[in-house]
Each structure stands twice: as structure tokens, then as C-alpha cells.
Amino acid sequence: DQQVKQNSPSLSVQEGRISILNCDYTNSMFDYFLWYKKYPAEGPTFLISISSIKDKNEDGRFTVFLNKSAKHLSLHIVPSQPGDSAVYFCAADSNAGNMLTFGGGTRLMVKP
Amino acid sequence: EPEVTQTPSHQVTQMGQEVILRCVPISNHLYFYWYRQILGQKVEFLVSFYNNEISEKSEIFDDQFSVERPDGSNFTLKIRSTKLEDSAMYFCASSGHSVQGKVRGYTFGSGTRLTVV
């Protein structure tokens, strides 16, 4: 039951360029979406979130876009830096519950 | 910045033994969670806890699992009789942030790697 899906297991980007990480969901009850970054042997670290009443949220180099009709969200990182290299998870929360449903993650590698 | 602290960082146990994973959530948070990630798989929700009781649990959280907040600061996950397939990273999280009456903003700990042999 893959309610949240990240179809790209990995992404490689040159330093300074844009990284675009994608996430699709199927459950229309989801109303809040989050992106987490994870380094090996550490827990997920919150990056940015977006409520379903918005279509864009920006925080510094990170922007999340939400397309509700397509049930798709994306995380843009501009400019990408080598320190951004990590696994990125998108997660979704619904107004019917109090738990996060995670995607499978995308490993981002930013090359110097 | 406030942190969620988990101990131990790595636990090795024999199949059939009981384990207790410990977490100290952020002090003014009210909602507590356990998630796990089996190697190479997704992060999966196990249980949420609020006001000294379980508020939600997943299918994974069967009778072998229990949670407790024994002393107002610690939040524990107990697995009564471990199985090989319980080997995973276990993440504790806490939340206290509310948006329009709905809890948001989860902070995760660094995890406990449980290895069942």
C-alpha cells in the first residue's frame, strides 16, 4: 500500500545547480506534507512543510510546490551544495489521524 | 535547539528476549511517537501517544509491543519477545506544534539500531 511514493531512488546534481525531488501521493485525505533530510545513522531532520491550502512554500534555498489536482509535490533546492547530499523523504499527514506516512526516499548526491 | 534523545544507539539482543528502547522527548511536547525503518525500506509509523494513552497504532504494533511514559520525561518502547524481523532502526519523535488545532511539526531522535540475532 504505497500511499506516498518517491519514484526516483537517487539523483545526482552538480554543485550550484537546481535539485528537484518529486513525490506522489494517492490518499486525498492527506492535507499536510513535509520534507525530511536524513544522514546515515541519524534521524530524519525536518526541512520544510506545506499545507494543502497552499501551492508553494519557500524557506531560503528550499521551495516546496504542491499540485493537489495531480497529487504531486516537489522539493526544489537552489543552489545545491555538497552538504545537501543525503536521503530526502517526503511525508504526508491527514486531518483524520496523527501520524506520518513516508515515501521511500531519494538519495541526493551533489557533486562539487 | 531542543532535541529528542534516544538510548541506546545500538542494541543487540537474542531472539525471544525482551528489549526496551528509551526516548526523552522535547520537554514541552505533548505528543509522542515511535517509527521504525527496516534496512532498505520505508520509515513506518508504529504508534502515537498522547495524554498517557495510545492515540493511534499501526498493524505492525501488535501485542508484542507496548509503550509507556513512566516518569513524565521518558517515553519507552518495549518489545516483549523479539523476532529476527524486528531488526530495524527505531525512531522516537515528539510534537507539540499545533496548526489550526491539528498537531504538526515532528522532531525525530537519532534512532536506536536494534539487531536481533
Side-chain angles (χ1 to χ4, degrees):
Chain A
D1 176 20
Q2 295 202 54
Q3 296 189 70
V4 180
K5 222 171 169 182
Q6 294 175 253
N7 288 317
S8 299
S10 66
L11 174 68
S12 183
V13 167
Q14 205 66 36
E15 180 179 5
R17 306 295 289 267
I18 184 171
S19 297
I20 301 176
L21 298 107
N22 293 302
C23 179
D24 296 292
Y25 63 96
T26 56
N27 189 341
S28 39
M29 296 294 289
F30 290 145
D31 67 344
Y32 193 72
F33 303 90
L34 307 91
W35 283 94
Y36 283 87
K37 177 179 178 180
K38 187 179 178 304
Y39 293 115
E42 293 185 15
T45 303
F46 171 75
L47 273 177
I48 192 168
S49 61
I50 188 166
S51 164
S52 60
I53 61 173
K54 293 186 171 184
D55 54 20
K56 178 182 173 181
N57 190 26
E58 195 171 346
D59 184 2
R61 296 186 298 115
F62 301 93
T63 304
V64 56
F65 295 92
L66 176 62
N67 182 335
K68 276 180 62 180
S69 59
K71 293 192 174 69
H72 176 84
L73 63 152
S74 60
L75 174 69
H76 292 210
I77 307 173
V78 180
S80 302
Q81 299 172 353
D84 295 330
S85 298
V87 178
Y88 289 77
F89 291 95
C90 84
D93 194 3
S94 80
N95 57 14
N98 197 19
M99 61 183 233
L100 294 178
T101 303
F102 281 83
T106 297
R107 181 176 302 279
L108 174 66
M109 291 161 284
V110 180
K111 298 179 182 176
Chain B
E1 181 147 348
E3 287 185 343
V4 174
T5 307
Q6 288 187 246
T7 54
S9 56
H10 191 188
Q11 172 98 40
V12 181
T13 189
Q14 293 222 319
M15 192 169 56
Q17 295 295 303
E18 174 184 285
V19 291
I20 298 176
L21 309 183
R22 300 180 195 279
C23 170
V24 178
I26 292 173
S27 62
N28 61 351
H29 281 185
L30 300 175
Y31 299 84
F32 314 112
Y33 313 86
W34 284 100
Y35 287 78
R36 80 170 185 191
Q37 185 182 26
I38 295 171
L39 186 65
Q41 297 187 23
K42 288 185 177 188
V43 177
E44 301 172 292
F45 169 78
L46 292 179
V47 65
S48 61
F49 191 86
Y50 171 70
N51 202 24
N52 283 321
E53 59 183 26
I54 290 172
S55 50
E56 285 187 79
K57 60 182 181 178
S58 71
E59 294 170 353
I60 304 166
F61 194 88
D62 62 22
D63 292 344
Q64 293 300 310
F65 291 87
S66 63
V67 288
E68 199 177 29
R69 189 156 161 78
D71 57 14
S73 62
N74 290 284
F75 179 51
T76 61
L77 174 69
K78 182 193 291 186
I79 310 174
R80 272 181 256 287
S81 176
T82 50
K83 304 187 283 281
L84 294 176
E85 54 265 37
D86 293 327
S87 295
M89 282 290 288
Y90 287 80
F91 295 106
C92 173
S94 69
S95 180
H97 179 63
S98 177
V99 173
Q100 295 176 324
K102 181 74 172 71
V103 174
R104 307 295 193 194
Y106 305 78
T107 303
F108 283 81
S110 297
T112 293
R113 179 174 298 284
L114 176 65
T115 304
V116 182
V117 297

